[in-house]
Amino acid sequence: MGEALISSPWALLVTLLAAVALADWLGRKGMARKMGAASLVILLGALLANISLIPKAANGGPIYDQIFAIVTPASIFLVLLDVNLPALRRAGGMMVATFLVGAVGVMVGVVLAFELLPMRDVLGPLAAPFAGMYTGTYTGGGANFNAIALAYGVFGQGTEFVTALVVDNVMTNIWLMLLLAMPLLLSRFGRFETREYAATDTDRAVSEAKTRIDSLGVALPLALAAVAVFVSDALAAELAELGLPLPSVLILTTLALIAAHIPGVDRLRLAQPIGVWGMLMFLACVGASADLAALMRAQSLGMLLFAFVGVVFFVHIAALLAWGWWRRVDPVLLAMASVTNIGGTTTAFVIAEVNRREDLLLPGILVGALGNAIGTYLGFLIAGMLGA
C-alpha cells in the first residue's frame, strides 16, 4: 500500500464508501443514468487506483480482502432474499443454454487465438497454462484462473502472472462497459425478443406491505447474511476435506433460496438495498484492480495478451449472437449470460441493475456458479490439449 497516497486501511475504506455514494448519486442524474451506478463505480475505482490515490486491489490488503471474502458473498445472499422462483423457472432453462453456448465460444476462441498468435514464441512453456487460465476465468471466474496458475507454477513467474492478471482485469472492465450497450442495440433487431420474467401482482403487493424501517430491519438481514456466509464457507471447507469440492457460492445461493421462502423474510425491506450497496463496494474494488502501470511495464507481452483476449471475446460474442438470432433470445439475457461467462458470478448484478431486470439476477448468479464449478476443469482440458 506504500505507493498510494492513501495508505491506511481506514482511509481506504472511507474513500471506497465515498466513491460508492458518489457513483450511486451520479447514477440517478441526467445522462449518467444511462450508465448506472455499477458502471460509474467501476470507472471511479479504476481512476482512483491508477492515479495512485488508493492502492491497487490486486495487491490485497485488509480492506480489499474483507470486501472480496465477506462483503461480496453477504451481498449476494441479501440480494437473493428477494428471489422469485416462478421467474427462475421461466428464465432458467434458456439462461443455462445461453451460458453454455458462451462457454463453448470461449473455449473455441482460446484455441483459435492460441494458433493465430505467437503464444509459444513469447511465453514458451507457459503458453498452454496461460490458455488454460484464460479459459478458466472466462468460463467460471477468478478462482479458476488462480487455481490453474497455481497448478502450473505461474504464480512464481512474477511479471508474466501480473501482466496476465492486469490484462484480464482491464479487458473484463471494458467488456462490462460494452455489454451495457448491447441490449439497447440488439433490441432494434426484430430477431431478438425482449421478455420480462417479472414479479406478479401478488409479489408486488407483498413488497409494498413490507415492514417499516427500524433497527431490527437493519440488524436481521445483516445477521442472516453473516450466518449464511459463515455456514457456506465452513461447509465448503468440510466437503473439500472429504474430497467433494463444492463452490461456497452454490451453498450460499441454496441458503438464500431457503431463507427467501421463510415466512416474514420477504418483508425485510432493507435486505435488497444493503445487498446492492455491498455489490457496489465490490465493483469499486474490481475497478481498482485494473493496474495500467503494470501493463505498460510489460508492453510486448501485454499487447500479445490483449490481442489474445480480444480474439477470445470476439468468438465468444459471435457464438452468443448466432445463438440469440436463431433462438430469438432476450437481449438482456444474452448480456447476462456473457457477463457471467466473462466476469463471473458477482458481475451478474451489473446487467440486472442497469437494465432494471432483477428477475434475471438469480438465473445469472446460478449459471455463474455453474461456471465456477466447471471452469477449472475446462481450463485444465484446454491447457492439456495445447500441450501443457
Side-chain angles (χ1 to χ4, degrees), residues 19-247:
V20 167
L22 178 60
D24 204 0
W25 178 74
L26 288 175
R28 304 167 192 263
K29 305 291 181 182
M31 294 294 293
R33 293 185 64 181
K34 296 182 179 180
M35 295 184 65
S39 304
L40 291 170
V41 81
I42 291 174
L43 293 175
L44 277 174
L47 175 64
L48 293 173
N50 284 282
I51 64 174
S52 296
L53 184 62
I54 63 175
K56 304 293 192 302
N59 297 332
I63 299 300
Y64 288 131
D65 291 347
Q66 295 306 312
I67 289 174
F68 286 130
I70 298 176
V71 174
T72 301
S75 300
I76 291 174
F77 176 85
L78 290 173
V79 169
L80 286 178
L81 289 182
D82 207 23
V83 68
N84 184 298
L85 283 180
L88 174 61
R89 285 197 295 268
R90 292 195 296 273
M94 181 57 73
M95 176 65 78
V96 172
T98 305
F99 175 85
L100 292 176
V101 168
V104 171
V106 166
M107 296 170 68
V108 173
V110 166
V111 174
L112 182 62
F114 192 87
E115 297 301 330
L116 289 177
L117 299 170
M119 294 291 287
R120 292 187 183 92
D121 294 340
V122 176
L123 286 166
L126 292 178
F130 267 53
M133 287 156 54
Y134 281 119
T135 300
T137 194
Y138 295 142
T139 56
N144 308 104
F145 183 95
N146 292 331
I148 296 166
L150 181 62
Y152 287 111
V154 181
F155 271 130
Q157 311 296 321
T159 301
E160 289 84 354
F161 178 74
V162 169
T163 303
L165 189 60
V166 169
V167 169
D168 174 30
N169 289 329
V170 171
M171 289 295 282
T172 297
N173 289 341
I174 292 172
W175 195 248
L176 287 176
M177 301 299 111
L178 294 176
L179 286 178
L180 295 176
M182 191 174 84
L184 180 61
L185 294 175
L186 294 184
S187 65
R188 299 178 181 178
F189 297 90
R191 291 292 304 179
F192 298 94
E193 297 181 353
T194 300
R195 298 183 178 92
E196 289 287 344
Y197 304 95
T200 64
D201 291 338
T202 302
D203 297 325
R204 296 190 183 94
V206 169
S207 179
E208 292 170 1
K210 287 180 177 179
T211 58
R212 65 184 179 87
I213 299 175
D214 56 20
S215 59
L216 184 61
V218 176
L220 192 53
L222 288 177
L224 285 173
V227 170
V229 171
F230 176 80
V231 170
S232 61
D233 286 346
L235 187 54
E238 289 294 329
L239 290 173
E241 289 185 2
L242 296 174
L244 300 170
L246 186 66

Side-chain angles (χ1 to χ4, degrees), residues 360-378:
L360 290 178
L361 179 58
L362 178 61
I365 288 176
L366 290 176
V367 295
L370 172 64
N372 287 335
I374 67 175
T376 300
Y377 299 104
L378 297 179

